[in-house]
Amino acid sequence: MHPGSMSTLDRFDRPLRSLRISVTDRCNLRCQYCMPEADYVWLPRESILTFEETATLVDAFTSVGVDRVRITGGEPLLRRNLPELLEQLAAKPAIADLSLTTNGVLLRDQAAALRAAGLHRITVSLDTLNGDRFRELARFNELPAVLAGIDAASRAGFDSLKVDTVVLRHRNDDELVPMIEYGKSVGAEVRFIEYMDVGGATHWSMDAVVSRHEILARLASVYGPIAPVEGRDSAPAERFRLPDGTTFGIIASTTEPFCAACDRSRLTADGLWLLCLYARGGLDLRRPLREGATRGELAQLIATVWSMRADRGAEERLGAAAREAFIPIAALKRDAHLEMHTRGG
Ligand code: GTP
Ligand code: 5AD
Ligand code: SF4
């Protein structure tokens, strides 16, 4: 499927290549589409994997085909000494691509250290350029910090810098053009993300989703004809080019899911391995790890479970009649692993 691959294939012939590692379930924002509730249950501190434990699991994953690692949260920059983990991961030749997704609040002071530790690429979530709106959408008044963070990242020399915007009807859908213009000004590729009914999105409704189709139509009415960029591979984002050459992306998880090419899985901060963003459960890797399983045994377990994978969560949601929030609040309260902020987006 890809050159030199030792990758395991799942039941739909999808290789295991990308691992998204959440390093904390905590977050310093409360975005409406992800953490709109007043209270959350946090993972117990003693269950959080140490960097050494994470690195051991990563070795097991790379031995069965993983070659891309993305660090996520909650908010990953809340994790103490994160550059130490990045340094360990960056030193592993099997990892061809090492990236991180952050909300940017703490990025200004950390951008240079993250780059120096060996991080290749960075993505910052930013949903509005308006300060009052930022506070409404994310509860905290942190727009200036995030803008300063993006600025610092653009100067730190990453291989790529992206800005991710979840588009919500009547909340920020009038900012498509300002966001593209902002991206140009800081040298970042902007990606518009359709609002998803993932666990934690308790306020989700189809009415609030602005589709890929609508986003493209609105941008074309301002900029003129939009051309697709070839070579999507297994990426969630489809890329497009404006007449002036500016590229941007759309992640159409809700209206045009891309499960058929999904080579991603997720590891929560406490070592639960999830095979799909919509999975209701996963494989606990912390237990065998702490009971002393060898790297080979862990690799075997991972390969066996992946070979049975048949997940296509977003596609299944597409077929759901009378679609509303996927996981009820009561279930989220019982199991924080169902929350998007625990699984890392
Ligand atoms: P690149 O490697 O830069 O292409 O990153 P990415 O697009 O995989 O990563 P990022 O964390 O920026 O993902 C952006 C958003 O895309 C996520 O927060 C999700 O909303 C969505 N997304 C990412 N992976 C998946 C996936 O496997 N399934 C679905 N349905 N959505 C996903
Ligand atoms: N819909 C789409 N994306 C989401 N994210 C979190 N919740 C949702 C949701 N309901 C992802 C986005 C955002 C990051 C913080 O997590 O990519 O930028
Ligand atoms: Fe992958 Fe599940 Fe997302 Fe589909 S919904 S792209 S299978 S994580």
Side-chain angles (χ1 to χ4, degrees):
M1 186 137 282
H2 48 94
S5 154
M6 300 168 294
S7 201
T8 321
L9 300 181
D10 74 2
R11 277 168 49 194
F12 298 137
D13 285 338
R14 298 171 297 187
L16 167 57
R17 293 203 56 190
S18 158
L19 181 68
R20 302 168 68 98
I21 303 173
S22 167
V23 291
T24 177
D25 58 327
R26 311 260 167 169
C27 194
N28 46 3
L29 295 179
R30 289 290 180 277
C31 299
Q32 278 293 318
Y33 52 76
C34 185
M35 302 184 77
E37 303 301 317
D39 298 307
Y40 286 92
V41 180
W42 306 109
L43 300 175
R45 202 166 278 271
E46 65 281 4
S47 73
I48 304 296
L49 302 184
T50 64
F51 290 162
E52 204 187 334
E53 289 173 327
T54 303
T56 302
L57 287 181
V58 167
D59 286 337
F61 277 103
T62 56
S63 73
V64 294
V66 164
D67 63 355
R68 300 180 192 149
V69 171
R70 177 173 290 271
I71 302 298
T72 66
E75 169 46 40
L77 303 191
L78 289 173
R79 179 75 187 252
R80 208 174 280 226
N81 303 326
L82 185 65
E84 282 175 20
L85 175 65
L86 293 171
E87 248 171 60
Q88 286 188 41
L89 298 181
K92 297 183 190 300
I95 301 178
D97 180 34
L98 181 60
S99 57
L100 174 142
T101 302
T102 170
N103 64 26
V105 172
L106 300 173
L107 187 55
R108 190 192 65 181
D109 294 340
Q110 294 194 35
L114 295 170
R115 181 59 177 160
L119 182 67
H120 304 157
R121 305 188 294 125
I122 195 159
T123 299
V124 185
S125 304
L126 175 65
D127 303 313
T128 177
L129 295 163
N130 175 299
D132 294 334
R133 227 182 230 189
F134 189 100
R135 206 228 270 282
E136 278 167 37
L137 286 172
R139 195 179 310 166
F140 296 91
N141 198 5
E142 296 284 15
L143 178 63
V146 177
L147 296 179
I150 292 173
D151 214 46
S154 76
R155 283 181 279 105
F158 290 103
D159 299 345
S160 107
L161 170 64
K162 293 177 185 169
V163 168
D164 278 4
T165 302
V166 178
V167 186
L168 304 172
R169 191 173 301 284
H170 304 317
R171 306 293 294 262
N172 65 350
D173 61 332
D174 56 347
E175 293 193 59
L176 301 178
V177 170
M179 212 43 99
I180 294 270
E181 295 302 317
Y182 169 73
K184 282 191 212 176
S185 75
V186 293
E189 181 157 302
V190 173
R191 285 116 50 92
F192 298 111
I193 300 177
E194 288 181 354
Y195 186 16
M196 298 167 70
D197 56 346
V198 284
T202 48
H203 294 188
W204 188 91
S205 79
M206 199 67 205
D207 296 341
V209 177
V210 181
S211 69
R212 161 194 185 278
H213 180 84
E214 187 173 343
I215 293 169
L216 284 174
R218 289 211 212 165
L219 288 173
S221 76
V222 174
Y223 290 109
I226 294 175
V229 174
E230 299 304 317
R232 179 178 184 187
D233 197 11
S234 63
E238 255 178 293
R239 297 176 70 228
F240 299 92
R241 186 172 283 110
L242 298 174
D244 74 354
T246 304
T247 55
F248 67 96
I250 297 186
I251 300 178
S253 323
T254 301
T255 67
E256 293 189 30
F258 33 80
C259 302
C262 180
D263 56 8
R264 287 172 295 285
S265 70
R266 295 170 164 79
L267 186 67
T268 62
D270 63 345
L272 185 72
W273 185 41
L274 299 163
L275 304 191
C276 176
L277 202 43
Y278 284 88
R280 288 172 190 270
L283 176 72
D284 176 12
L285 290 172
R286 182 180 80 246
R287 196 156 81 158
L289 179 70
R290 290 195 176 164
E291 283 173 356
T294 63
R295 170 182 153 178
E297 288 164 347
L298 292 165
Q300 184 61 50
L301 185 60
I302 291 165
T304 303
V305 170
W306 185 264
S307 70
M308 296 185 300
R309 175 187 191 243
D311 298 66
R312 36 187 287 282
E315 286 180 359
E316 280 167 10
R317 292 301 290 157
L318 203 54
R323 203 167 163 181
E324 53 185 31
F326 178 45
I327 309 275
I329 293 180
L332 295 169
K333 295 264 181 244
R334 278 195 303 274
D335 185 2
H337 295 106
L338 293 166
E339 297 272 6
M340 181 73 155
H341 70 263
T342 310
R343 11 193 93 184

